[in-house]
Amino acid sequence: MQVHYISQQNSILNHFVGQLRDVQVQKDSMRFRKNIERIGEIMAYELSKTLEYKDVEITTPLGTKKTTALKDGVVLCSVLRAGLALHTGFMNFFDDAENGFVSAYRHHPNNDDYFEILVEYRAAPSFENKNLILVDPMLATGQSLVAVFNQLMEKETPKEIHIAVVIAAPEGVAWLEEHLPDSCHLWIAALDDCLNEKKYIVPGLGDAGDLAYGSKL
């Protein structure tokens, strides 16, 4: 798997990630969502540089101009619910993309620290021979993304597979490298230190879904 660490080069991206982590800024859920959306836009731009393009000719009011356009279709797929704001950021740039949504969550059957990943909902278009971009803000253990990936790949094969996350733990990166094809691209805005005993990212930012959309039962 090819891993791209976007924050290694200083940019406004690091400013937005810093605000996501700040406990004072986190009190404003609208700002939290907007910052994730902005990060999605930056990541979409960086990712777009690696896609294939074709030559096209555009008619203007005063003539014609040769330029380039995306060669293949794009399908954006996000993991509900935390992925929605990041999805919006990507959609702002890939505005012609088709869109898909998958639910995945940690289920604690014994009400203790043990959990299993349940994938219960999928609404996605065909991505056969298209560029599939799977987005989820947090890459902790990596189990959710692998479960979603396996569910999506049951019947179709995209041309390219890109996974975009805002904050990742090394354990999650290693899990994806072990369980996903070498041809996959993983885009990371910020790499953190580790997972704690409850498998949450440290220092992380907390629960991205709760911070963006309110606490759940």
Side-chain angles (χ1 to χ4, degrees):
M1 185 172 64
Q2 301 177 59
V3 185
H4 309 266
Y5 297 102
I6 302 178
S7 62
Q8 287 182 339
Q9 182 177 2
N10 282 327
S11 75
I12 194 68
L13 171 74
N14 294 336
H15 174 73
F16 295 142
V17 173
Q19 289 189 347
L20 287 181
R21 300 182 191 273
D22 191 312
V23 293
Q24 296 302 317
V25 180
Q26 285 182 352
K27 295 176 182 179
D28 186 343
S29 60
M30 184 173 68
R31 188 173 178 185
F32 185 87
R33 292 192 302 272
K34 188 63 179 180
N35 279 334
I36 289 186
E37 181 181 339
R38 289 166 166 168
I39 291 168
E41 291 175 342
I42 295 169
M43 297 186 77
Y45 172 71
E46 294 296 332
L47 187 157
S48 74
K49 298 176 184 179
T50 69
L51 301 180
E52 288 192 51
Y53 291 80
K54 61 184 178 181
D55 295 329
V56 297
E57 188 171 82
I58 304 296
T59 300
T60 79
L62 299 177
T64 60
K65 178 64 178 178
K66 292 182 179 180
T67 184
T68 59
L70 282 172
K71 182 179 179 181
D72 304 294
V74 173
V75 175
L76 298 174
C77 189
S78 62
V79 180
L80 298 174
R81 65 181 167 151
L84 291 175
L86 189 61
H87 187 113
T88 299
F90 271 82
M91 192 165 55
N92 288 345
F93 273 43
F94 293 106
D95 55 344
D96 291 331
E98 299 173 273
N99 298 273
F101 304 90
V102 180
S103 73
Y105 66 95
R106 295 181 179 185
H107 173 60
H108 298 265
N110 304 317
N111 294 319
D112 55 18
D113 290 342
Y114 169 78
F115 64 87
E116 56 190 12
I117 302 298
L118 297 185
V119 179
E120 295 185 339
Y121 173 82
R122 168 184 172 177
S126 172
F127 47 78
E128 187 74 25
N129 293 321
K130 300 174 184 176
N131 298 299
L132 175 64
I133 303 175
L134 180 60
V135 303
D136 193 8
M138 310 296 285
L139 172 57
T141 67
Q143 295 180 45
S144 293
L145 277 171
V146 169
V148 168
F149 177 88
N150 290 337
Q151 206 272 358
L152 289 172
M153 296 300 123
E154 285 181 352
K155 297 181 179 179
E156 295 186 307
T157 304
K159 180 178 180 180
E160 290 189 13
I161 303 166
H162 296 265
I163 298 172
V165 301
V166 177
I167 296 177
E171 296 91 332
V173 177
W175 187 262
L176 264 58
E177 289 179 320
E178 180 180 352
H179 291 87
L180 297 187
D182 292 340
S183 58
C184 284
H185 292 260
L186 174 62
W187 298 82
I188 299 173
L191 181 67
D192 275 14
D193 298 338
C194 61
L195 297 177
N196 65 14
E197 66 279 359
K198 294 185 179 294
K199 306 302 182 183
Y200 289 111
I201 302 173
V202 178
L205 53 76
D207 189 302
D210 286 359
L211 290 167
Y213 301 108
S215 59
K216 54 188 176 293
L217 294 176

